[in-house]
Amino acid sequence: MMKALIIEDELLARLGMRSLVDWEAMGIRLLEDAADGREALARIEKELPDLILLDINLPDMDGYQICQAIRGRTNAPILFLSARTEEADRIMGWKVGGDDYIMKPFGMEELLARIEAHFRRQERTGRALVTE
Ligand code: CA
């Protein structure tokens, strides 16, 4: 099973992603969600996910900072989820090491299709690795 971490401060958004997607059918186990940057870093410290869904507007840090903090430690796909629709915001997402940028509101079908595409790409290039 692949492990995925949702980092999102809005409870309804977290619940939506949890309940509207059949994660198990995709071979994915969801780790306990993180609602802010501090929690996110603690979870990642404890158990490195194979996929990270990362909100940008969080109460303590922003998603870009989190991405920068962890990018050197994992090759796992990092998908930004954001209501910020400016091109500059999306570009920043790529520049800090994100692999994808999904604009809210998004449909679960799109989310799934993108996740599957990232996993397929990884299968082609080698599994997510922990690097020192
Ligand atoms: Ca948010």
Side-chain angles (χ1 to χ4, degrees), residues 8-10 55-58 104:
E8 165 68 74
D9 60 325
E10 288 158 62
D55 181 26
I56 293 178
N57 292 325
L58 294 164
K104 295 178 180 176

Side-chain angles (χ1 to χ4, degrees), residues 19-113:
S19 60
L20 297 174
V21 173
D22 190 351
W23 296 98
E24 240 181 69
M26 295 180 70
I28 295 173
R29 178 170 66 84
L30 289 181
L31 301 174
E32 193 186 344
D33 300 333
D36 58 36
R38 191 187 51 79
E39 268 184 16
L41 295 178
R43 299 253 190 289
I44 290 164
E45 189 67 36
K46 205 170 104 190
E47 192 169 16
L48 209 60
D50 301 295
L51 171 78
I52 298 168
L53 301 175
L54 179 52
D55 181 26
I56 293 178
N57 292 325
L58 294 164
D60 53 352
M61 304 168 71
D62 66 40
Y64 301 133
Q65 292 174 298
I66 295 172
C67 187
Q68 279 178 315
I70 62 175
R71 183 72 291 178
R73 302 183 44 215
T74 177
N75 288 332
I78 298 174
L79 283 64
F80 283 110
L81 310 172
S82 183
R84 298 189 190 182
T85 58
E86 298 293 320
E87 184 181 21
D89 293 314
R90 300 200 298 279
I91 290 171
M92 178 66 82
W94 302 107
K95 287 203 166 168
V96 296
D99 297 291
D100 205 347
Y101 192 105
I102 307 177
M103 283 186 276
K104 295 178 180 176
F106 53 83
M108 291 302 143
E109 297 275 329
E110 180 183 357
L111 179 64
L112 284 188

